[in-house]
Amino acid sequence: MDEVTILHADLDAFFASVEQRDDPRLRGRPVIVGGGVVLAASYEARAHGVRGAMGGARARRLCSQAVFVQPRWPAYVEASKAVFEVFDRTTPVVEPLSIDEAFLDARGLEHIAGTPAQIAARLRRDVLEQVGLPITVGVARTKALAKVASAAAKPDGLLVVPADGEIAFLHPLPVERLWGVGPATAAKLRGHGLQTVGQVARTAEAALIQIVGRAAGRHLHAIANNRDPRRVRARRGRRSFGSQSALGRSPTTPEALDAVLVGLADRVTRRMRAAGRAGRTVVLRLRFGDYSRATRSQTLFEAANATEAILAAARTLLAAAMPVIERRGVTLVGITISNLVDGRAVQLALPFEDPTGLVLDAAVDDVRDRFGPTAVTRATQLGRDPGLAAWLPAHAGRPMDPSDTRR
DNA sequence: TCTGGGGTCCTAGGACCC
DNA sequence: TCTGGGGTCCTAGGACCC
């Protein structure tokens, strides 16, 4: 816990670097991936002030000589896989954070692979030689520090924060450099005169909780004071599937809106079925003409991944949201399915009365023991759920269907 | 300066249960 | 009959990340 062994590896301008790797004419030139909005900007483009998530028109004004490239998702997925293979060959414990970054734990590798700094240097060389992409690595004693270190070392850099240099590195930084502090939190902190990490560190935890809420306040107080006990661990599975579509600013008819919804439901459930997952909570996401947002959600009795079931729920939610949509005009629609279970069929059917629900509770516990905590999401309630009473007799004695997602 | 598509986690109130 | 503490789940929204 007190050694400098955590690596945060982060590919530089990932999508743009893949484009430059695959098309030599783009090397050394400002490259912008995306059109309406900037998905990635090469460092040559960033030198002109272009940033991710910026509107395409503004990017073009800032950097008229930039080359705009349409995103090639399959190429990025393939490059990411290749990079993660290098990660996996470098250290035994790799925790992916996104398509282009991960934590690696170099603990206990001193005798076989060298110091963390040597491992990091070799990792950078291997990724460049084997995949052809530049990558930056931050090395520190904690995750929070390693993450900040890699950001400070970008692009194409390596920064090791020594154990005795942590506070000197961390405390002068502006608060928004901390992982988890975005514009809203930074504005709140600045509103209370807190500009730097050091100032936050010297503020009482209770005061921070007053400013940003309980969880964020505790988290902020801990990492500002350089306390971060989180270990690197192999990532657990995803928690939701989503699909969304921007509609543009022109008014939409209900028919067109429904057609979009059908497309979204088809797209997202296709991915869920391919992954063998199903979910119980359907969330309809909306964005309006003034860029305000809203969500509407509904939790189904059974987990689902069939297009029709998800679409039906989404249509219900959309119908309920129509008054708001008519008032504010909708510019984006999305469907997210959360509360996931995996696709294995587990059928609980009792061929006798169970008025107390105890037998069913025991059966649910048994399912949990065998399939893990996500297998049953409402264990204690399930036995008394009126929906279950209607459901159980109808399914008693039915053979198991492998495509059935019911728990 | 207007903004794409994919995610994660937290909060707060109400319903309901023991 | 009234009251309380403690807990889960659902819904809606907010913030943040890449």
Side-chain angles (χ1 to χ4, degrees):
Chain A
M1 196 69 98
D2 50 359
E3 289 170 77
V4 178
T5 58
I6 296 179
L7 279 62
H8 179 257
D10 198 346
L11 289 156
D12 302 319
F14 178 46
F15 301 162
S17 293
V18 173
E19 297 303 333
Q20 289 178 319
R21 178 194 69 177
D22 294 349
D23 184 351
R25 292 170 302 175
L26 299 178
R27 292 179 198 163
R29 300 181 62 189
V31 173
I32 292 172
V33 178
V37 65
V38 177
L39 291 173
S42 72
Y43 278 84
E44 294 85 353
R46 293 184 196 204
H48 293 262
V50 178
R51 295 287 179 273
M54 179 182 278
R58 186 181 177 205
R60 215 176 294 264
R61 275 196 299 280
L62 286 169
C63 185
S64 57
Q65 65 273 46
V67 185
F68 280 73
V69 183
Q70 283 297 110
R72 296 182 300 138
W73 295 103
Y76 310 148
V77 170
E78 190 194 339
S80 175
K81 276 185 186 158
V83 171
F84 274 87
E85 280 167 20
V86 177
F87 290 170
D88 288 334
R89 286 196 292 271
T90 303
T91 62
V93 182
V94 176
E95 178 179 333
L97 282 185
S98 73
I99 192 169
D100 67 348
E101 60 174 314
F103 286 113
L104 292 83
D105 193 348
R107 244 197 313 183
L109 298 181
E110 188 100 34
H111 296 299
I112 20 177
T115 65
Q118 291 168 335
I119 292 171
R122 193 168 54 247
L123 173 65
R124 284 177 17 84
R125 200 179 58 230
D126 288 349
V127 169
L128 186 62
E129 285 177 4
Q130 294 169 29
V131 192
L133 295 174
I135 189 165
T136 294
V137 182
V139 188
R141 200 175 48 82
T142 68
K143 280 182 166 180
L145 270 178
K147 175 94 179 164
V148 176
S150 69
K154 279 187 163 296
D156 200 18
L158 168 60
L159 177 60
V160 181
V161 182
D164 61 2
E166 293 175 338
I167 299 297
F169 170 68
L170 190 61
H171 278 192
L173 297 174
V175 286
E176 48 267 84
R177 295 282 290 277
L178 291 176
W179 188 25
V181 176
T185 304
K188 285 181 196 165
L189 294 172
R190 287 183 188 281
H192 287 79
L194 303 174
Q195 319 269 348
T196 67
V197 178
Q199 288 173 323
V200 172
R202 289 187 289 276
T203 304
E205 186 186 61
L208 292 175
I209 289 173
Q210 285 294 313
I211 298 171
V212 299
R214 194 174 47 150
R218 285 181 184 163
H219 176 78
L220 202 53
H221 190 257
I223 60 171
N225 282 289
N226 197 25
R227 290 195 312 269
D228 180 8
R230 293 172 295 181
R231 306 313 314 172
V232 180
R233 43 173 216 172
R235 194 63 159 175
R236 62 187 188 289
R238 63 153 80 221
R239 313 297 295 267
S240 66
F241 284 82
S243 192
Q244 54 184 305
S245 179
L247 306 174
R249 305 195 64 94
S250 48
T252 322
T253 64
E255 294 73 29
L257 213 49
D258 188 70
V260 172
L261 212 58
V262 172
L264 291 171
D266 178 59
R267 189 158 45 159
V268 72
T269 56
R270 206 180 280 278
R271 282 167 44 212
M272 292 175 75
R273 291 191 294 269
R277 305 295 299 272
R280 288 186 58 230
T281 303
V282 181
V283 184
L284 179 74
R285 296 184 180 284
L286 299 168
R287 201 180 64 198
F288 304 108
D290 59 1
Y291 283 91
S292 61
R293 286 175 289 268
T295 61
R296 293 289 184 272
S297 60
Q298 187 188 352
T299 299
L300 311 172
F301 174 63
E302 299 171 38
N305 64 14
T307 310
E308 310 82 62
I310 301 299
L311 179 59
R315 277 179 166 148
T316 305
L317 294 167
L318 184 67
M322 277 317 287
V324 195
I325 290 172
E326 278 160 17
R327 268 204 312 282
R328 296 201 256 173
V330 64
T331 57
L332 177 142
V333 190
I335 297 174
T336 296
I337 292 98
S338 59
N339 224 332
L340 299 183
V341 300
D342 61 38
R344 289 171 300 202
V346 175
Q347 190 168 318
L348 296 174
L350 303 178
F352 47 81
E353 293 280 316
D354 181 26
T356 62
L358 283 177
V359 178
L360 188 67
D361 281 354
V364 164
D365 283 344
D366 186 46
V367 169
R368 277 198 158 156
D369 288 346
R370 281 198 281 172
F371 295 98
T374 61
V376 181
T377 53
R378 295 162 73 198
T380 56
Q381 309 266 316
L382 210 53
R384 284 165 288 279
D385 193 307
L388 190 70
W391 176 76
L392 267 180
H395 291 80
R398 229 189 64 182
M400 286 235 272
D401 174 354
S403 68
D404 197 342
T405 54
R406 204 171 280 117
R407 312 294 342 184

